[in-house]
Amino acid sequence: MQKKRNKPQGQQSVITEKSTLLPYLLERLGRQSRTSVKALLRHGLIWVNGTPVTHFNTPLNPGDEVLISHEKGRVAFNHPQMKIVWEDDELIVVDKKDGLLSVSDSPAQERTAYFLLSQHVKKIDPRNKIFILHRLDKGTSGLMMFARNKNIQEYLRANWHEMITRRTYIAVIEGVPEKSSDTLVSWLAENSRMKVFCTDPQHGKEAVSHYRVLKNNTKYSLLELDLETGRKNQIRAQMEQIGHPVVGDPKYGARTNPAGRLMLHARRLCFRHPATGEEMRFETPVPKKFNNLVKQNEDV
């Protein structure tokens, strides 16, 4: 016996003329392709008279109720290195673990956040794509987002500084900064070894970060950093510049790696939704390893 499912919320209508389901849905969902509409049926997201249906030739009669679930375009996503925290028709926001590349510059089919999400959206419609908005380093964990169509990507990239209202990172750094809070202003450039370094206004791009120390012990400090700009490796380069590199980051001067990872986490992401204008706010907890490392022998 099939288990009864709870009726979902969605777009409901009453049939006024005799028809069959697929032609009705194609007319009702004029912006969606035949393939994507069939995918909605296949995933049980179309209900007729309170029951999910999967057959595109289901007859419809006057008085029948058809419900199109608000969950359309979404299927289950499970992966140990990443989870989806928000998904709609325009954007996907994910929480990425350290060790997973955002996207690969090489032609090899590597396991990246981009690859995993591309496979996810193709389960609904093989023609679906995702588009890159920004990146996190492989060793950095936390929040990042992708666009679901080219127009959204282009709009957000062209208006990034106006649309992104806050980006906050958490870092564990070696030592204790002289100031408990400060604004770091640097000009960053990249050398032939793919390392970002601090230079002068004539040769680099301006990078601005605001930090405050949350807590510290004799060896390490836990920082919260709000980015005013989003340059490549901005935090890592600036922390090296002030003599307090991010723990687990030998490329940028770190001498210790007690947690076996780069201790940098994208904690907070706030932006105005490009389609609705709504203020969107996402936040993840501080990783336990970060708190535990600074908690040991914590100064009081």
Side-chain angles (χ1 to χ4, degrees):
M1 182 177 180
Q2 186 176 9
K3 184 178 179 180
K4 185 177 180 180
R5 292 171 55 187
N6 293 326
K7 185 178 178 181
Q9 294 184 341
Q11 178 185 353
Q12 189 164 314
S13 57
V14 178
I15 301 301
T16 58
E17 298 180 357
K18 192 170 183 178
S19 181
T20 53
L21 189 55
L22 183 59
Y24 173 79
L25 292 173
L26 290 172
E27 181 179 357
R28 188 81 180 178
L29 301 171
R31 295 177 61 188
Q32 296 204 36
S33 67
R34 178 181 291 262
T35 301
S36 62
V37 170
K38 284 186 175 181
L40 297 179
L41 287 165
R42 187 167 62 252
H43 292 292
L45 299 178
I46 306 297
W47 294 56
V48 176
N49 297 328
T51 302
V53 297
T54 57
H55 298 293
F56 66 88
N57 59 351
T58 299
L60 299 177
N61 297 299
D64 286 346
E65 294 183 349
V66 176
L67 182 143
I68 304 169
S69 172
H70 283 324
E71 298 174 359
K72 66 181 185 296
R74 302 186 187 114
V75 296
F77 177 86
N78 293 292
H79 194 274
Q81 287 185 288
M82 185 172 67
K83 67 178 180 179
I84 291 176
V85 297
W86 172 265
E87 182 180 9
D88 62 16
D89 292 337
E90 287 80 28
L91 299 169
I92 300 179
V93 179
V94 302
D95 184 2
K96 181 186 84 71
K97 288 192 176 182
D98 64 289
L100 179 67
L101 282 168
S102 297
V103 63
S104 176
D105 292 324
S106 71
Q109 292 295 317
E110 299 183 57
R111 302 294 285 185
T112 64
Y114 175 80
F115 174 83
L116 294 172
L117 290 177
S118 294
Q119 298 304 303
H120 168 66
V121 300
K122 289 180 186 299
K123 291 179 181 178
I124 292 297
D125 186 333
R127 294 170 296 180
N128 282 344
K129 297 179 180 179
I130 60 168
F131 299 85
I132 299 162
L133 292 170
H134 63 119
R135 304 185 186 198
L136 292 181
D137 295 331
K138 181 179 179 179
T140 303
S141 56
L143 295 166
M144 62 182 302
M145 67 174 172
F146 294 83
R148 295 197 65 165
N149 64 70
K150 188 67 175 177
N151 289 337
I152 291 294
Q153 181 199 39
E154 292 177 349
Y155 179 78
L156 277 173
R157 283 187 163 181
N159 301 278
W160 188 256
H161 296 297
E162 292 76 28
M163 300 299 290
I164 304 301
T165 56
R166 191 173 185 187
R167 289 178 70 187
T168 305
Y169 285 72
I170 297 293
V172 180
I173 61 171
E174 295 181 342
V176 182
E178 182 179 346
K179 297 180 180 180
S180 60
S181 63
D182 199 5
T183 295
L184 305 177
V185 181
S186 310
W187 283 266
L188 304 181
E190 189 173 359
N191 63 24
S192 59
R193 301 189 302 276
M194 307 296 288
K195 180 180 177 180
V196 173
F197 64 98
C198 298
T199 180
D200 55 66
Q202 286 72 40
H203 298 93
K205 295 181 179 179
E206 186 181 34
V208 182
S209 303
H210 309 278
Y211 80 79
R212 65 187 181 99
V213 178
L214 300 179
K215 58 183 178 179
N216 64 273
N217 57 31
T218 56
K219 293 183 178 181
Y220 303 111
S221 299
L222 183 70
L223 266 60
E224 181 178 79
L225 303 104
D226 280 299
L227 302 191
E228 198 169 305
T229 57
R231 307 301 182 195
K232 179 180 178 181
N233 293 172
Q234 175 172 320
I235 293 173
R236 298 167 65 184
Q238 288 184 322
M239 290 298 102
E240 181 184 36
Q241 182 188 30
I242 66 170
H244 298 284
V246 177
V247 174
D249 193 8
K251 183 176 181 179
Y252 287 88
R255 298 178 299 276
T256 62
N257 187 15
R261 63 158 292 183
L262 175 68
M263 301 200 79
L264 185 60
H265 177 74
R267 183 187 191 187
R268 190 179 293 116
L269 177 62
C270 307
F271 57 90
R272 287 194 291 273
H273 196 286
T276 67
E278 181 184 358
E279 179 75 16
M280 310 293 289
R281 297 177 57 85
F282 300 95
E283 186 169 328
T284 59
V286 178
K288 290 182 180 179
K289 287 183 178 180
F290 289 36
N291 278 317
N292 291 341
L293 183 60
V294 180
K295 187 176 182 180
Q296 296 169 9
N297 303 314
E298 184 178 352
D299 291 342
V300 295

